[in-house]
Amino acid sequence: MLFGRKALALCPILLGCLLAVAQQSGKGDQWKAVDDAMGRPGQDQPDGAHKFGLPRGDLKVTVAGVEVKPTLALGSWVAFSKPGAGSMVMGDLVLAEEEVEPVMLSLENNGIQITAVHNHVLHESPRVMYMHIGGHGDAVKLASAIKEAVGLTKTPPPSPAPSSPPEAGMDLDTSAIEQALGHKGKINGGVFQVSVPRAESIIEGGMKVPGSMGLATALNFQSTGGGKAAITGDFVLIGTEVNPVIQALRSNGIEVTALHSHMLDEQPRLFFMHFWANDDAAKLAKGLRAALDKTNSKK
């Protein structure tokens, strides 16, 4: 009888543990069908989105004598807001010129919208184009359509994690960069990346867009030796911020290389400003901070 009472007392605890395990297992599997449809694993984001990186390691691109690492400016990506029905997808596909037309045709035939096609940098060799995409519907069907289009490019398959630590070859004082920007960053593929979300919510197609789906200002630093870095990325701006940010960047020796939209019906309307410079990394970080201070970004 005593054993029976103990067992009864333990039942709620055991049931709670089993439920927690089941929930955790379900959470880990909820994106499996989307991963399978994309043909590669995605990464869960803190804001609930699920993101796929498709770096164009096959492209050997130089800008002003700098050989561009894929994670500096050649990183295709696709992100989904949620699994199952009613999902929203956004992405940015890095394409060689001859890939633009077949990829666009494939996406259009499979219900994925083309929301922008343009440059991000200047004077690159060979020329690279960037195709922004969007769609709503079943996440697996959207993923299958995108996989088919990506299959028309020379985008490499997923590669195993590098054996060397991420800091290897990073000849930059990343702490000084973080201090100047007022934001933390991470090393990814030999590039120091800082992401700065906007403070307000962005609505597209009646849905709130997670910040990890291309709505954070991206500031990327690639070492060019001697404490210098090539920088590029894009500022996410509302209309009244555009010219103050241009002035802040140019007054700090940072070239503005593109200004355009990435989406079609977002609220508030956003503009994306791309930039380039190759100079002392700490100096450039201060210039980027001067531009950030002109925006409604999270502190």
Side-chain angles (χ1 to χ4, degrees):
M1 179 65 70
L2 182 60
F3 176 78
R5 289 176 179 172
K6 286 185 177 180
L8 288 173
L10 287 172
C11 275
I13 299 174
L14 291 172
L15 286 173
C17 291
L18 290 171
L19 180 61
V21 170
Q23 289 174 338
Q24 187 62 38
S25 175
K27 183 179 179 181
D29 293 339
Q30 66 176 342
W31 289 104
K32 184 179 185 305
V34 180
D35 287 356
D36 291 345
M38 281 291 296
R40 61 182 67 220
Q43 297 292 323
D44 291 343
Q45 304 299 304
D47 54 20
H50 193 65
K51 195 168 188 175
F52 296 84
L54 303 92
R56 292 299 305 260
D58 60 302
L59 296 175
K60 306 303 178 186
V61 178
T62 59
V63 176
V66 177
E67 185 172 337
V68 176
K69 293 182 182 292
T71 48
L72 181 70
L74 303 174
S76 294
W77 62 269
V78 176
F80 295 80
S81 64
K82 66 176 184 176
S87 184
M88 172 171 54
V89 67
M90 290 184 180
D92 182 11
L93 303 181
V94 181
L95 303 174
E97 283 191 292
E98 63 273 14
E99 294 171 343
V100 171
E101 179 58 28
V103 168
M104 182 181 292
L105 179 62
S106 176
L107 292 169
E108 286 284 325
N109 286 343
N110 287 289
I112 304 294
Q113 288 188 320
I114 311 303
T115 59
V117 179
H118 47 227
N119 70 297
H120 282 185
V121 292
L122 297 175
H123 313 302
E124 79 277 19
S125 180
R127 193 178 185 204
V128 179
M129 299 300 291
Y130 299 78
M131 182 179 294
H132 295 267
I133 62 174
H136 294 83
D138 180 77
V140 171
K141 291 181 179 179
L142 295 170
S144 297
I146 293 168
K147 181 188 177 183
E148 181 178 321
V150 171
L152 299 175
T153 75
K154 295 180 180 179
T155 301
S159 58
S163 56
S164 58
E167 293 81 6
M170 179 54 63
D171 179 27
L172 290 175
D173 186 347
T174 56
S175 296
I177 294 172
E178 290 177 331
Q179 184 175 4
L181 292 174
H183 294 273
K184 295 290 185 181
K186 65 178 182 179
I187 297 172
N188 180 20
V191 172
F192 187 62
Q193 300 178 328
V194 179
S195 179
V196 185
R198 288 198 62 86
E200 72 271 55
S201 295
I202 308 299
I203 306 298
E204 195 274 341
M207 301 171 65
K208 180 179 177 180
V209 184
S212 62
M213 295 177 68
L215 298 185
T217 290
L219 311 173
N220 300 329
F221 293 73
Q222 177 182 316
S223 173
T224 54
K228 295 176 66 177
I231 63 167
T232 191
D234 58 348
F235 281 81
V236 183
L237 308 169
I238 59 173
T240 55
E241 297 169 347
V242 168
N243 282 283
V245 168
I246 288 177
Q247 293 162 9
L249 291 173
R250 289 177 57 81
S251 65
N252 283 279
I254 300 171
E255 183 181 17
V256 175
T257 58
L259 172 65
H260 43 229
S261 62
H262 286 181
M263 296 178 284
L264 298 177
D265 62 353
E266 75 282 3
Q267 294 294 329
R269 190 180 183 200
L270 298 177
F271 299 88
F272 295 78
M273 185 182 297
H274 299 265
F275 57 88
W276 175 270
N278 182 12
D279 204 340
D280 178 79
K283 172 187 171 184
L284 292 177
K286 292 176 182 177
L288 293 173
R289 174 59 183 271
L292 272 177
D293 287 344
K294 304 294 183 182
T295 71
N296 183 31
S297 299
K298 287 186 178 179
K299 305 302 180 185

